[in-house]
Amino acid sequence: MAKKQCGFTLVTVLILTSMASIVVLNSLRENIVQERMSGNFQKKMNSRLLAEKGVFEEAKLLQQALLDDKSLDIDGLIAATGNISGIGLIGDDATYNASIAKNAAGELEISSIGERYNGDAQSNLVARFGFTPGKGGSVFENAIVGCEGVSLSASGRIDSYDSSLGDYDPDNAEAAAVIGTIYKDKDVTLSGASTIWGSVHATGSIIFSGSSPIVGSLKANNSIEIDSNFTVSTDPLLPEGFPLDTAVGGDVLSGGDVIWKQGKILGVIRANNDLIFPNNSASTVLVNKNNDGLDVMYGNTLKAPAGLAAHLEQDGILYSDTRYNESPHVELVAFQDPDNFEASKVQCDPIDIESVVNDLTDPAAEDILVKHSTTTLVVGQPETRVIYELTPEIGQSKIENQGAYVWENWLGEPPATLNYQLATINEKIDQKVLKSGGFTLNNGILKVTGGDVTLIVNGNFKMTGDSFIDIAPGSSLTLYIAGKVTMNAAAGAITMKHGLTDTGKPVFSIYSGFSEANGIDISADSDLYAAIYAPKTDVSIVANGGFSGSIRGKTVTASGRGGIHHDLNLSNVSNGGSSTTTSKLVFLGWSYKAPTPLTAEPVEEPIKPTI
């Protein structure tokens, strides 16, 4: 009898169905996990892209801030930029928040947090930028600037050096001194025996009749007259390869005429108008050392009343030939047109010094008279000498008495004591300054210590007799003066380390707001270092010792036995000159960081019941 198997098929189907269900459920679970992982990845990518957008938007603000103000330092740039936040295009729940800060290495860091789904996905992107601050122009970038004229009759050398590399040494001097004018049609007159290690640029004419050479070039908008009356330079040192009988070592470039009376020229001659040979001196020789095309070019005519000498030729062709009669289109020296100041490319007074000084001076300030008593102390003490000491916070008088600095009552009332005030200078607020009415140093010592000292003088500043200024290492003295400056110290001196302090200040500088004639008169037999800015008044320098620094005046007249040495390091003083360099941002890299978790709220412990 056959066995009965009722229900076996059903059991088999149920088993297979269960197994299939398990497989399907596992597959569904895996799909759900994969879907969630894909969703999380998409959220994370969204948050990362939002974080990147925040960096890019913050970087745009940085660039705009630099365009608005090229002279910003890193702290000013951070303050001008601020933070930024916004939303993405994919939804209101897609947000970014970016901020900027300076890290310990002095780099700029943009931190941007991107979020999606109200913080479910969050990315923190940090981008690093190197920052090079822009350098504002310096009014001391040239050796001598006479806005309305320069006249040089000194016998010492005019050259340049860099105080950041050490004190001036004639054996290591550089030929980078620049002399020039700024107002339209203003001349430079060169006489005397000063060898000029540099170039001369005139908005008017150049009249060169000195007995020493010019190492660089001459460039003038009107005419250039060369009548150098020497055969051998009086300068014991000249640049290597510079012939001793040379008048001009570089090119002669004129927007008008070139009047070539005598003197050897190593460069070329270019005249937009006439080339004139008044006497055909046989000593006139052209070298064209750089083989710069034609020796001479003139846009109008060549004039030689006595006939052109045979040696005035190139490759056997006289300078009167038509090949030389072509306009060289000499570019004019940039000038300030008094009829249109705003359109001028350069400015005589870019910082408006008269207004600056008027804002700083205090008409009620006390006069200071620093005298030297002729009384000699007894009891074996040395001759009494009054010292007026300036620090950034106080100015007071004293005498030296057995090594201690005190004031003796028998000298009478001491000069007024100055206490610092706060002022805004060059857009920097809360600067400590000392203010006085007038300041006279007569057989006394002005001692500067303790750092950068700014003295505002509402009257005249005088230094006469056997006086000197002693500026301690690491300190500086900046004078803003409304009146005249007279420094006629027969044996006086200014002792200091030349150049700039660690804070970027010239060790000694004079800013004059005086707007009448003859405002700066300096005559000294000893060495003097000064950065002088007096564009509204005349500057007269008699340098029988060496003068180092820079000079800018309405007109500048320099004479004396000593030389004038331009400190090239002064071009790093940012105080409103025409030359500027733009601040730069350099991308250094970026990295994603884990977002800072929110601080969890503390868990409250359950209250225990009391028994």
Side-chain angles (χ1 to χ4, degrees):
M1 180 177 176
K3 295 181 179 179
K4 295 183 179 180
Q5 297 182 358
C6 298
F8 177 77
T9 302
L10 179 60
V11 171
T12 302
V13 170
L14 287 174
I15 292 173
L16 292 175
T17 302
S18 298
M19 293 176 64
S21 297
I22 292 173
V23 171
V24 170
L25 289 175
N26 283 334
S27 177
L28 286 175
R29 181 184 176 189
E30 185 175 347
N31 287 339
I32 291 173
V33 170
Q34 289 291 338
E35 183 178 354
R36 287 179 177 176
M37 290 176 63
S38 297
N40 289 338
F41 179 75
Q42 183 184 24
K43 293 176 185 178
K44 191 64 176 179
M45 287 300 300
N46 290 158
S47 67
R48 288 197 171 198
L49 291 173
L50 288 165
E52 291 178 10
K53 182 175 178 61
V55 168
F56 295 145
E57 294 299 322
E58 187 75 23
K60 287 181 182 178
L61 293 181
L62 280 174
Q63 294 291 351
Q64 187 60 50
L66 287 179
L67 288 175
D68 294 341
D69 187 350
K70 298 178 181 179
S71 64
L72 287 173
D73 59 13
I74 189 168
D75 295 322
L77 180 60
I78 292 172
T81 302
N83 302 331
I84 189 171
S85 60
I87 60 174
L89 299 177
I90 55 178
D92 293 342
D93 63 337
T95 63
Y96 60 85
N97 292 276
S99 61
I100 185 170
K102 180 173 66 174
N103 64 19
E107 302 166 345
L108 279 171
E109 282 191 349
I110 297 177
S111 298
S112 177
I113 296 179
E115 294 183 332
R116 185 75 202 276
Y117 296 114
N118 299 316
D120 284 351
Q122 191 179 78
S123 294
N124 184 10
L125 175 63
V126 177
R128 295 168 38 246
F129 292 84
F131 177 73
T132 302
K135 182 172 73 72
S138 173
V139 296
F140 304 127
E141 62 187 350
N142 294 326
I144 300 174
V145 174
C147 298
E148 297 188 15
V150 175
S151 178
L152 304 180
S153 59
S155 58
R157 184 204 294 172
I158 299 174
D159 55 16
S160 60
Y161 75 109
D162 188 342
S163 63
S164 67
L165 304 177
D167 289 340
Y168 173 76
D169 182 350
D171 293 333
N172 298 320
E174 299 182 44
V178 177
I179 300 165
T181 55
I182 292 182
Y183 280 177
K184 184 179 180 182
D185 298 331
K186 299 304 178 182
D187 302 337
V188 176
T189 301
L190 307 171
S191 58
S194 290
T195 303
I196 298 176
W197 283 42
S199 300
V200 181
H201 302 160
T203 57
S205 298
I206 296 175
I207 301 94
F208 173 36
S209 60
S211 58
S212 287
I214 296 170
V215 173
S217 298
L218 300 180
K219 187 174 184 179
N221 292 350
N222 295 342
S223 64
I224 298 176
E225 180 177 331
I226 302 171
D227 189 13
S228 183
N229 54 4
F230 71 95
T231 56
V232 178
S233 171
T234 58
D235 192 335
L237 292 172
L238 283 170
E240 184 178 353
F242 194 92
L244 294 178
D245 59 346
T246 301
V248 180
D251 297 331
V252 177
L253 311 172
S254 174
D257 301 334
V258 172
I259 306 168
W260 190 4
K261 294 182 178 180
Q262 60 180 330
K264 185 176 182 179
I265 299 172
L266 298 188
V268 298
I269 290 181
R270 301 288 184 259
N272 286 352
N273 197 30
D274 295 338
L275 175 56
I276 304 170
F277 295 93
N279 55 16
N280 273 318
S281 170
S283 65
T284 302
V285 178
L286 190 77
V287 176
N288 193 355
K289 60 181 180 180
N290 295 323
N291 295 318
D292 188 14
L294 298 174
D295 288 353
V296 303
M297 293 178 66
Y298 47 91
N300 195 15
T301 60
L302 182 144
K303 298 179 180 180
L308 195 64
H311 68 278
L312 298 175
E313 53 81 25
Q314 181 180 5
D315 299 330
I317 302 175
L318 290 174
Y319 294 154
S320 55
D321 191 83
T322 56
R323 68 182 293 196
Y324 307 102
N325 188 196
E326 180 181 347
S327 177
H329 302 292
V330 173
E331 184 179 357
L332 297 183
V333 176
F335 60 86
Q336 183 173 19
D337 188 347
D339 297 327
N340 190 359
F341 273 19
E342 297 301 324
S344 301
K345 294 182 179 180
V346 293
Q347 301 288 324
C348 170
D349 182 19
I351 63 178
D352 191 13
I353 189 61
E354 189 173 4
S355 297
V356 170
V357 172
N358 287 340
D359 290 342
L360 290 173
T361 53
D362 183 358
E366 295 290 339
D367 285 348
I368 295 179
L369 186 62
V370 182
K371 297 180 178 179
H372 165 57
S373 173
T374 58
T375 303
T376 301
L377 294 176
V378 291
V379 197
Q381 295 172 347
E383 183 180 7
T384 303
R385 193 168 205 181
V386 172
I387 299 170
Y388 200 89
E389 184 174 7
L390 298 176
T391 71
E393 297 184 346
I394 193 170
Q396 56 189 343
S397 54
K398 55 186 72 173
I399 65 170
E400 186 174 6
N401 186 352
Q402 295 181 340
Y405 291 99
V406 296
W407 183 257
E408 298 289 349
N409 293 330
W410 57 267
L411 289 171
E413 289 295 323
T417 296
L418 301 179
N419 293 303
Y420 80 89
Q421 303 177 37
L422 297 179
T424 299
I425 302 178
N426 198 21
E427 298 183 353
K428 295 182 179 179
I429 63 173
D430 293 339
Q431 301 295 298
K432 292 180 179 179
V433 302
L434 305 174
K435 294 186 177 183
S436 73
F439 199 108
T440 300
L441 186 66
N442 182 22
N443 293 326
I445 302 173
L446 179 61
K447 190 172 184 178
V448 181
T449 62
D452 296 323
V453 175
T454 301
L455 177 62
I456 316 298
V457 181
N458 193 40
N460 299 326
F461 181 90
K462 296 181 181 180
M463 178 179 169
T464 59
D466 188 15
S467 300
F468 67 89
I469 300 175
D470 181 9
I471 301 177
S475 296
S476 70
L477 176 60
T478 302
L479 300 178
Y480 286 89
I481 300 176
K484 291 186 175 183
V485 176
T486 305
M487 299 176 68
N488 294 324
I494 296 182
T495 60
M496 66 184 79
K497 184 182 184 301
H498 289 191
L500 307 184
T501 64
D502 292 340
T503 57
K505 296 265 190 180
V507 173
F508 181 50
S509 55
I510 299 172
Y511 294 86
S512 171
F514 193 66
S515 58
E516 299 178 23
N518 305 318
I520 306 283
D521 184 3
I522 297 176
S523 177
D525 292 334
S526 57
D527 289 345
L528 171 66
Y529 181 96
I532 299 174
Y533 183 80
K536 302 294 186 182
T537 191
D538 308 307
V539 177
S540 174
I541 304 289
V542 180
N544 290 321
F547 179 94
S548 300
S550 175
I551 306 168
R552 177 181 289 228
K554 180 180 179 181
T555 65
V556 176
T557 303
S559 59
R561 302 183 304 274
I564 297 176
H565 318 298
H566 180 219
D567 182 3
L568 299 174
N569 196 22
L570 288 171
S571 63
N572 293 314
V573 178
S574 179
N575 55 5
S578 57
S579 298
T580 60
T581 59
T582 305
S583 302
K584 293 182 180 180
L585 284 173
V586 179
F587 177 68
L588 301 178
W590 57 24
S591 60
Y592 285 97
K593 296 183 178 180
T596 302
L598 296 176
T599 303
E601 295 184 1
V603 179
E604 295 183 0
E605 295 183 0
I607 300 175
K608 296 181 180 180
T610 57
I611 299 175

